[in-house]
Amino acid sequence: MEMYNNNYFTSDSIKTSKIKYGFFSKEGGYSAGNYHSLNCSISSGDKEILVKKNIDVAKKKLGFENHIIKFLKQTHSDKVEIIDKNNLNMTTEADGSITKNKKIVLAIITADCAPIFIFDSNCSFICSLHIGWRGCLENIVKTAVYKIIKMNITTQNLIAIIGPCLSKVNFEVDENFHDIFISKNLQYKNFFSKRSKYQKIFFDIRSLINFQLQKCSINKIINIEIDTYSNKDLFFSHRKSFHNNSLPTGRMINLIGFRDTT
């Protein structure tokens, strides 16, 4: 079951003394207007000074003041990068990151896409993924797990947590979208449904991500099953803002890192 800790979500199913994480809401920040209030995206059009203050709020909430946050230049891809001290300060175009460095916190920015955290029962590494429909189509989960396996970590020890994202009931798509997925994998048809009265097609991205994780032999999967679209007081939603003609909108931050033991 999910827990809401002032302005971030965790799962009470996961208890570890070595790793801390949070899927943040939009509450508890400094931004105003469309970005009210914990907008953590520098590229959203918000005032940079306020975004940096918001990021500091999130860091402090999780006790990451002595850590360095690694942001990605997210491109809706299946690219996953190993992060260490050599590329920490470089621009990294990817939608997934993995590290063993205890001083690095991995960040994902979302506003309907799914944030995913993966780590192992030994807490020897952390992984953060940003999955929109393109990343789901290209199976970024498989890319990430392949890199994790190359680190000599067995999938039986992996734990995955899927944070708040767009739910099926609010993820309407067209026939072309549907056909692209089916042509990729016939089994993906199970993650689409039609409302017969209107013949509208809806996509269940959360269930498909679960399916992809299971196909990679990850059996310990936790879902913080909250819809970003319908909870306007808690989340930024790009789709909701588009439908309401209220773009631009802010972005939530999602953080995972090792607990500070110093």
Side-chain angles (χ1 to χ4, degrees), residues 4 14 20 25-26 59 69 71-72 86-87 93 119 132 134 138 141 146 155 157 207 210 213-214 237 242:
Y4 190 51
I14 297 295
K20 192 142 190 192
S25 72
K26 70 175 187 179
K59 285 181 71 173
I69 295 184
F71 287 92
L72 301 174
N86 296 316
N87 61 358
E93 286 195 16
F119 54 95
R134 292 181 184 86
E138 298 302 326
V141 163
Y146 177 73
T155 56
N157 292 330
S207 292
N210 274 267
L213 288 164
Q214 290 162 358
S237 169
F242 176 76

Side-chain angles (χ1 to χ4, degrees), residues 66 69 82 86 98 158 168 183 186 206 209 219 233 239 247-248:
N66 298 322
I69 295 184
I82 306 292
N86 296 316
I98 300 169
L158 297 184
K168 177 183 178 181
S183 64
L186 196 56
R206 179 182 293 277
I209 293 168
N219 299 314
D233 293 331
R239 182 169 286 227
L247 288 171

Side-chain angles (χ1 to χ4, degrees), residues 65-83:
E65 296 96 326
N66 298 322
H67 294 64
I68 300 172
I69 295 184
K70 176 62 178 180
F71 287 92
L72 301 174
K73 186 176 180 182
Q74 297 171 192
T75 59
H76 293 278
S77 68
D78 66 340
K79 193 173 180 183
V80 179
E81 294 290 348
I82 306 292
I83 305 300

Side-chain angles (χ1 to χ4, degrees), residues 166-230:
L166 190 62
S167 71
K168 177 183 178 181
V169 70
N170 290 309
F171 205 154
E172 184 182 345
V173 299
D174 59 24
E175 288 279 1
N176 183 58
F177 183 105
H178 168 270
D179 294 345
I180 289 170
F181 272 82
I182 304 311
S183 64
K184 192 81 172 181
N185 185 331
L186 196 56
Q187 287 182 290
Y188 287 174
K189 68 180 180 181
N190 297 320
F191 304 99
F192 291 87
S193 62
K194 287 186 178 181
R195 289 185 189 164
S196 56
K197 183 178 178 181
Y198 304 104
Q199 287 300 297
K200 292 181 178 179
I201 306 172
F202 294 86
F203 175 46
D204 192 346
I205 189 170
R206 179 182 293 277
S207 292
L208 180 46
I209 293 168
N210 274 267
F211 174 78
Q212 291 172 335
L213 288 164
Q214 290 162 358
K215 281 291 183 181
C216 291
S217 300
I218 300 179
N219 299 314
K220 180 72 171 176
I221 304 169
I222 294 96
N223 284 273
I224 297 178
E225 206 154 340
I226 307 172
D227 177 34
T228 48
Y229 185 99
S230 59

Side-chain angles (χ1 to χ4, degrees), residues 57-185:
V57 167
K59 285 181 71 173
K60 189 173 182 180
K61 283 282 185 180
L62 294 178
F64 289 150
E65 296 96 326
N66 298 322
H67 294 64
I68 300 172
I69 295 184
K70 176 62 178 180
F71 287 92
L72 301 174
K73 186 176 180 182
Q74 297 171 192
T75 59
H76 293 278
S77 68
D78 66 340
K79 193 173 180 183
V80 179
E81 294 290 348
I82 306 292
I83 305 300
D84 54 30
K85 62 182 180 180
N86 296 316
N87 61 358
L88 177 59
N89 297 312
M90 297 170 60
T91 299
T92 305
E93 286 195 16
D95 288 88
S97 54
I98 300 169
T99 193
K100 288 186 170 185
N101 190 308
K102 301 293 192 292
K103 287 297 182 181
I104 296 175
V105 172
L106 302 179
I108 288 296
I109 300 296
T110 57
D112 282 334
C113 292
I116 320 293
F117 297 144
I118 302 173
F119 54 95
D120 63 331
S121 54
N122 296 322
C123 300
S124 64
F125 80 98
I126 51 175
C127 171
S128 185
L129 302 176
H130 161 257
I131 307 185
W133 71 263
R134 292 181 184 86
C136 192
L137 178 68
E138 298 302 326
N139 203 344
I140 188 173
V141 163
K142 189 175 181 180
T143 304
V145 172
Y146 177 73
K147 285 182 177 278
I148 291 166
I149 290 170
K150 288 182 72 175
M151 296 162 63
N152 295 317
I153 296 166
T154 60
T155 56
Q156 286 77 12
N157 292 330
L158 297 184
I159 300 162
I161 312 173
I162 307 172
C165 65
L166 190 62
S167 71
K168 177 183 178 181
V169 70
N170 290 309
F171 205 154
E172 184 182 345
V173 299
D174 59 24
E175 288 279 1
N176 183 58
F177 183 105
H178 168 270
D179 294 345
I180 289 170
F181 272 82
I182 304 311
S183 64
K184 192 81 172 181
N185 185 331

